Amino acid sequence: MRVGVDLGGTKIELLALDNAGREVWRKRIATPQGDYAATLAAVASLVHEAEAALGERATVGVGIPGALSRVTGLVKNSNSVCLIGKPLKQDLEAALGREVRLANDANCFALSEATDGAGRGARVVFGVILGTGVGGGIVVDGKVLVGPNSIAGEWGHNPLPLPRESDLPLPSCYCGRAGCIETYLSGPGLAADYQRGSGEQLDAPEIAARAARGDARCEAALARYEERLARALASVINLLDPDAIVLGGGMSNIERLYVNVARLWTSYVFSDQVATRLLRNVHGDASGVRGAAWLWDAAR
Ligand SMILES: [Zn+2]
């Protein structure tokens, strides 16, 4: 049995999969806020509860907002600040009495969709999270690509390629730079772009809904969004040439992206035809926790 844990900033979710990949147990609890020891204890007790309920010992994979430094073994790049600098892998292994696999949550998303989701059967999958932030992960031949800096696929803080008049001034980003992809392509990024043009505050789902009803300003903002996403993904295709790009996060629910962005990116990809498929995720919010479980796939 495989257990996946999605350790998020607001909730911790556990999913148990049987050997055929079917969901057999699931539970979600609130994340203890700002308390590392309580977070460890909560994860351990969830795993023990699942094992008691199912009468079986499980492999444990954990998706985290952030990454494990390959230099120090400590958590870095996390927006759950109580995890930063902590030996989370060792501490979880001590609490659970077994080896635990940890991965970045966007990598878990990519792995889930590559294993039995939208990217099933594709050799190289780029999984993209377009949510409150922008992240990404790369899966090759069913394995997550982890580089020496543990940042493979993290394109959200690359600059938006080919900035044009309508992209200026470059929005400043929390990472200290300006004009990052995330500042345009996250949900709040679309909302901020709309507000710059209209002075009006609307969230991303409302902008998409009004665009669908024919609102001209919302339509223009969404068209700018699609054009930027096309530029940003074209640079990924030029570098990685993935078979499939799978979108996740709240923005992935906007149906028109899949047609429009795949039409627009042909202008920027260095190829006469673009065979890369742009796909909507299959597992939705469950992809993080499913991918964490798949970290222990027997074939790996
Ligand atoms: Zn940034």
Side-chain angles (χ1 to χ4, degrees):
M1 182 174 72
R2 300 177 184 88
V3 152
V5 177
D6 186 8
L7 174 50
T10 56
K11 51 105 187 155
I12 302 171
E13 186 168 8
L14 182 145
L15 173 75
L17 299 176
D18 68 12
N19 289 332
R22 286 183 299 251
E23 175 179 335
V24 287
W25 201 84
R26 181 195 287 259
K27 187 170 179 179
R28 179 183 280 207
I29 59 172
T31 305
Q33 289 303 301
D35 187 337
Y36 179 69
T39 301
L40 278 179
V43 172
S45 85
L46 259 187
V47 171
H48 290 139
E49 191 182 341
E51 290 181 328
L54 297 166
E56 207 179 325
R57 192 173 161 91
T59 60
V60 178
V62 181
I64 60 167
L68 281 188
S69 165
R70 287 178 84 170
V71 179
T72 64
L74 307 177
V75 176
K76 65 172 188 175
N77 291 358
S78 180
N79 57 14
S80 290
V81 289
C82 81
L83 301 179
I84 292 176
K86 294 292 199 303
L88 181 61
K89 180 170 154 65
Q90 289 91 319
D91 288 342
L92 281 174
E93 288 176 343
L96 290 166
R98 75 198 80 174
E99 190 186 343
V100 172
R101 293 190 181 170
L102 259 71
N104 170 261
D105 47 12
N107 288 359
C108 289
F109 167 79
L111 181 59
S112 166
E113 292 296 329
T115 301
D116 65 347
R120 180 181 205 148
R123 183 164 175 249
V124 178
V125 175
F126 182 52
V128 177
I129 305 279
L130 300 171
T132 52
V134 170
I138 299 166
V139 174
V140 181
D141 291 333
K143 291 181 188 150
V144 173
L145 182 69
V146 179
N149 304 297
S150 309
I151 55 168
E154 286 302 337
W155 67 316
H157 297 277
N158 278 3
L160 182 73
L162 300 168
R164 50 185 64 174
E165 199 68 37
S166 55
D167 300 327
L168 303 175
L170 301 178
S172 56
C173 183
Y174 76 86
C175 76
R177 290 177 275 269
C180 292
I181 284 171
E182 177 167 304
T183 64
Y184 297 98
L185 297 182
S186 63
L190 172 61
D193 179 70
Y194 177 77
Q195 193 178 8
R196 280 192 292 274
S198 68
E200 188 183 12
Q201 261 188 319
L202 295 179
D203 65 12
E206 182 61 25
I207 294 167
R210 292 196 190 184
R213 291 199 299 267
D215 180 291
R217 285 188 310 190
C218 289
E219 170 58 36
L222 199 50
R224 284 194 298 274
Y225 182 91
E226 289 169 336
E227 210 281 327
R228 289 165 179 158
L229 182 56
R231 271 185 268 156
L233 290 178
S235 70
V236 172
I237 296 173
N238 284 348
L239 185 69
L240 185 66
D241 203 3
D243 298 275
I245 296 177
V246 184
L247 303 185
M251 301 301 288
S252 72
N253 296 320
I254 302 174
E255 199 56 54
R256 56 184 264 181
L257 296 185
Y258 300 93
V259 175
N260 292 350
V261 173
R263 176 172 49 77
L264 291 164
W265 73 21
T266 55
S267 309
Y268 305 109
V269 175
F270 184 58
S271 173
D272 54 352
Q273 286 187 324
V274 183
T276 300
R277 293 175 294 148
L278 181 63
L279 304 169
R280 185 174 180 165
N281 66 81
V282 165
H283 295 299
D285 287 346
S287 249
V289 75
R290 292 181 69 87
W294 288 125
L295 291 171
W296 278 96
D297 185 85
R300 256 166 271 279

